[in-house]
Amino acid sequence: MVIATMVAMSWLASVGLARLSQEGEYRRMQDVARMAEAAVPASPFNADTLAPWHASADSLQRATDLRLDLFDHEGNPARPESDEDSSRGADRAIAAIRQGAAEARSDHYDAEQGRRVLTLAVATENNGILRVTSETTALDRELRLSQWSLLLRFLAAAAVAIAAGYVVAKRAAAGVEELAESASQLARGSLQVAIPTPDLAELSTIAAAVTGLRDQLLERARTIGRQGSQQAAVLGSMVEGVLAVDHRHRILSINTAAADLLGLEPGKVLLRPLQEVVRNPDLRRFVLRALDCKETIEDDLVLRDASRERVLLVRGTALRSSSGSEHGAVIVLNDVTHFRHLENIRRDFVANVSHELKTPTASIRGFVETLMDGALENREDALRFLSIIARQAERLEAIIEDLLALSRIERIEESSDLTLETVSLIEVINAAIGSCQLRANERAIAVSVDCDPAVIVAVNPPLLEQALINLIDNAIKYSDPGKTVRIAVTLKEDHDDRSITIAVADEGSGIDEQYLPRIFERFYRVDRGRSRKLGGTGLGLSIVKHIVQAHGGSVDVKSTPGVGSVFALHLPCHQADAPQG
Ligand code: ADP
């Protein structure tokens, strides 16, 4: 652009220069014409009047290097022999004067001679025409030289301008390159990149804008990071499993609880298709349903693995964008195995209670109807039936009492609201034996105690007595006459832990190993008929278990069929209530 501008300017300047030089030459010619005019004789010319003119014209011609010719008013030369070089241009100027002009100019190129000729014709006062002719060969040479030198100067100026432009552009380009590099690093995600500060004002505005952009991105990244970690913390601390999938069934997010439930590693399953990762077909079907459904859906699923079976309550909600296009689904998994187990226990318990109560009530009703149907007439039968009714009523009472005792103990256990008293253990044991003494005597069973009378414990005496009565009563019930029931108390000290064990051992029927894990369940009886006949409710051991648990202890049993059983109560002793003795 610079070169083109300079060439154009030098051309315009050259043209102007040529015009100026031509104008200057014409002005010189006018001056010479004016000087020569004074010597022009009056026409018509004759040799006498022309002689002084010729002398003065010749001297002027020599001095100015211009040619001077004189013509009469008709255009005839005063010196015909000297007009051999009259040309069309010269004729044109004279013709213009003859037509009335005071001055006429003309220039033409003489191709034969290879020169340019300027002509000026002037009408003289005494009716003649004075012609001044200039050959511009020397003038043109000078002009060309000037034009060339002008062009060279312009080119030199262009070279300087280009060099300066190059330096400035280079500096600007360096700034732009640095800025572009930083911007592309930013675009690639390196948010810590330093943004250069260029000297150029325009670039520094862009740099400031890019810096602002980077700061905003950083702030946004920080916010996203903060939100992400908050979300991860919330999801991670949830007991419920949370699983998010996209509309192509790929896992978008999974929290630790969900991964644990499904046996997956959270880091390895992200963005993998659900079908590849989750083995349970029911859960896969549930996710597909959740993706299709508009409302939240809920279902119970059973997860089985080698070691256990778990019941999951799953809730699925489809995620949709504001435009309504599908996005995926969120599945919340709740392990409700424990609750379902409790529900089953409750159901079984109600069924068991009803069943237990049904037998005595049916029996009572049967005998009452028999009495009403006429058995009352026979006093002996009536008395027998009434004693059966009384026995069944006692049984009902025993079951109800045991149920009430059980629920009372459970409540205490749940609220950890057990009132403890520091008592002598032997006294509690003796009181329990006293309650069972009658039955022991009936069955000729001896009860022995091995307990240091000095042992003092912090327990709830009525509850511990109840537990011991149940154990001693069972030992008497399930032993043949003549056998012995032994109660032994041992203290155990293990570092800071001190515990007391009360063992009730019998020489009775014993319990087969396969039944041992279940005998502490409510209404569980190894031999239902025998237990009933002996007045058992099936709740005795369950009551024992809950009493011991309310004390923070445990119960266990060792039994050999045909040899006997040992039920042991382990009760913890704290520093304050440490047994003494
Ligand atoms: P029950 O009222 O039937 O005795 P328990 O809960 O006290 O109910 O006992 C549950 C079952 O455990 C009994 O039915 C019996 O089969 C078995 N059992 C309990 N104690 C003994 C024992 N000392 N010897 C043999 N079996 C026992």
Side-chain angles (χ1 to χ4, degrees), residues 217-375:
L217 278 175
L218 265 175
E219 187 50 42
R220 219 162 275 180
R222 268 190 223 115
T223 312
I224 292 171
R226 214 169 27 238
Q227 283 171 349
S229 50
Q230 277 169 2
Q231 198 184 35
V234 170
L235 287 178
S237 60
M238 277 174 75
V239 183
E240 292 85 5
V242 180
L243 176 74
V245 292
D246 67 6
H247 63 285
R248 284 156 65 193
H249 311 163
R250 289 178 313 178
I251 296 179
L252 292 181
S253 132
I254 182 167
N255 72 347
T256 327
D260 286 350
L261 279 173
L262 302 174
L264 306 172
E265 275 186 51
K268 288 192 180 164
V269 298
L270 280 183
L271 293 177
R272 282 180 58 194
L274 191 78
Q275 285 78 352
E276 271 181 24
V277 176
V278 173
R279 266 162 299 168
N280 189 295
D282 294 338
L283 181 58
R284 292 205 299 254
R285 267 194 294 274
F286 181 82
V287 175
L288 295 185
R289 262 175 60 210
L291 280 165
D292 285 341
C293 271
K294 282 200 176 72
E295 271 124 40
T296 301
I297 55 167
E298 206 176 283
D299 206 352
D300 267 9
L301 299 182
V302 179
L303 281 188
R304 285 185 194 88
D305 56 31
S307 59
R308 59 192 171 143
E309 185 180 283
R310 276 167 307 171
V311 185
L312 298 187
L313 171 68
V314 281
R315 223 173 263 133
T317 314
L319 295 175
R320 283 188 170 78
S321 67
S322 48
S323 61
S325 61
E326 59 177 344
H327 257 54
V330 171
I331 313 294
V332 178
L333 311 155
N334 237 319
D335 187 352
V336 290
T337 317
H338 184 60
F339 298 107
R340 294 287 182 270
H341 180 63
L342 289 181
E343 271 170 28
N344 286 343
I345 289 177
R346 189 182 52 81
R347 243 193 317 270
D348 289 355
F349 179 67
V350 172
N352 284 334
V353 170
S354 317
H355 185 75
E356 290 297 326
L357 296 178
K358 208 173 129 195
T359 321
T361 43
S363 167
I364 290 170
R365 197 174 145 206
F367 284 109
V368 168
E369 277 172 7
T370 315
L371 286 170
M372 281 158 65
D373 286 350

Side-chain angles (χ1 to χ4, degrees), residues 18 31 49 130 184 237 245 289 310 313 351 356 360 405 450 522 563 569:
D31 292 344
T49 54
L130 181 60
S184 54
S237 60
V245 292
R289 262 175 60 210
R310 276 167 307 171
L313 171 68
E356 290 297 326
D450 174 15
R522 292 161 197 195
V563 177
L569 308 183

Side-chain angles (χ1 to χ4, degrees), residues 120-134:
L120 177 79
V122 187
T124 60
E125 280 179 5
N126 40 20
N127 230 2
I129 300 169
L130 181 60
R131 188 182 73 180
V132 186
T133 311
S134 164

